[in-house]
Amino acid sequence: MRPSTLITPIPPGLHVGIIMDGNGRWAVARGLPRPAGHRRGAETVRAIVEAAPDLGVRTLTLYAFSSDNWRRPEREVAALMRLFRAYLRGETRRLMRNGVKLSVIGRRDRLELPVTAAIEAAEAATAGGTTLHLRLAIDYSSRDALARAATAVSRDGGVAVTTDSLGVALGAAYGGGAAAPDVDLLIRTGGERRLSDFLLWECAYAELWFSDVMWPAFTAQDLGAAVSDFHSRERRFGGLVAQPVQAPAARAV
Ligand code: FPP
């Protein structure tokens, strides 16, 4: 884990995860090449990051590139990598101004050097952010993260494999903070209704919200509607009495 991820604890609040789906369809429907949808999707990222804190979101994890996305045409992958780099470089100052701490979770060993360099620079520059923890999932596979965490714990003879030790190892295995934080609300745009190997462990008790809106067209109002619906739900965590919608006290951010 990088030291920068350890510096600033983010105050407790909602953890929202988003599967940002529909960029390609949004572009194709307008006669545009798919990367144009991704570029427009990056603008949505900015809008959602800026709207999140006022909605009580303190941790926001965005699924930017799954480990299975390497199967896409080389040109699209290259365009996405350029976009990530441009976002990280171009957005860092704005993130700092807005008190956003940025972390990237996922494998780094398959990313090209300019991308990992941009990640490290953005993480170091924003490490002091206290308003929002923005976690971008790049080359991310939840099952791979779990396998790595389980391997790490089982190699450590002194540590029993428990939900706690595995949660801590999961945070360490893929970066982004200490223990893997539970997701309160999982949003998927683009009309599909599946998890696609995203935060499987962390979503154990997540409330799910599926939107037919394509990611480039998703707005702060849409996020507000999802959060508002979340607040209307009764969370029982397997018990009988409704729990407050804020993260339970035992849960660290
Ligand atoms: C899924 O839509 C989206 C992706 C694979 C990429 C997500 C990337 C962005 C939103 C770009 C900007 C991100 C950052 C962090 C700057 P899809 O292309 O699979 O859409 P489709 O299902 O309509 O084909």
Side-chain angles (χ1 to χ4, degrees):
M1 196 187 310
R2 281 171 177 69
S4 65
T5 62
L6 297 172
I7 293 173
T8 317
I10 300 286
L14 292 185
H15 180 188
V16 174
I18 307 185
I19 301 175
M20 307 182 288
D21 197 12
N23 292 349
R25 279 166 290 158
W26 181 90
V28 169
R30 286 159 182 77
L32 299 169
R34 291 175 55 83
H38 296 315
R39 283 195 296 277
R40 190 59 178 263
E43 290 173 26
T44 304
V45 168
R46 174 190 274 181
I48 294 307
V49 166
E50 297 195 346
D54 286 344
L55 294 167
V57 179
R58 291 291 170 268
T59 305
L60 178 66
T61 306
L62 303 179
Y63 206 3
F65 191 86
S66 80
S67 295
D68 287 326
N69 287 151
W70 290 115
R71 296 191 194 139
R72 293 190 176 202
E74 217 175 297
R75 280 181 56 175
E76 184 170 339
V77 170
L80 276 167
M81 291 298 155
R82 276 197 302 275
L83 188 57
F84 297 149
R85 197 174 144 205
Y87 175 85
L88 291 163
R89 285 179 160 185
E91 236 14 54
T92 296
R93 276 171 179 272
R94 202 176 169 106
L95 294 174
M96 288 166 73
R97 259 202 319 273
N98 290 333
V100 178
K101 168 181 167 167
L102 179 133
S103 307
V104 171
I105 58 170
R107 288 182 61 170
R108 297 203 185 175
D109 56 306
R110 300 189 290 193
L111 302 177
E112 289 187 2
L113 199 61
V115 179
T116 52
I119 291 172
E120 284 169 17
E123 285 183 334
T126 63
T130 55
T131 304
L132 176 75
H133 190 186
L134 169 63
R135 307 189 326 151
L136 298 181
I138 298 179
D139 196 359
Y140 177 90
S141 156
S142 190
R143 290 201 291 196
D144 181 65
L146 281 163
R148 284 164 193 263
T151 305
V153 177
S154 61
R155 271 207 200 112
D156 188 343
V159 178
V161 183
T162 63
T163 51
D164 282 347
S165 66
L166 204 58
V168 169
L170 196 53
Y174 256 28
D182 279 1
V183 173
D184 297 296
L185 171 63
L186 179 76
I187 297 172
R188 182 177 186 135
T189 63
E192 311 286 358
R193 281 148 175 74
R194 52 177 172 262
L195 296 180
S196 301
D197 200 12
F198 185 53
L199 301 175
L200 301 179
W201 175 275
E202 296 87 334
C203 281
Y205 282 100
E207 299 294 328
L208 307 181
W209 170 269
F210 297 104
S211 166
D212 290 333
V213 177
M214 301 293 143
W215 178 252
F218 194 77
T219 62
Q221 286 71 30
D222 293 318
L223 178 64
V227 170
S228 162
D229 180 79
F230 168 83
H231 284 290
S232 74
R233 299 192 192 181
E234 187 180 76
R235 303 187 83 193
R236 295 194 301 273
F237 298 97
L240 295 178
V241 180
Q243 299 292 309
V245 292
Q246 296 291 335
R251 210 184 304 159
V253 176

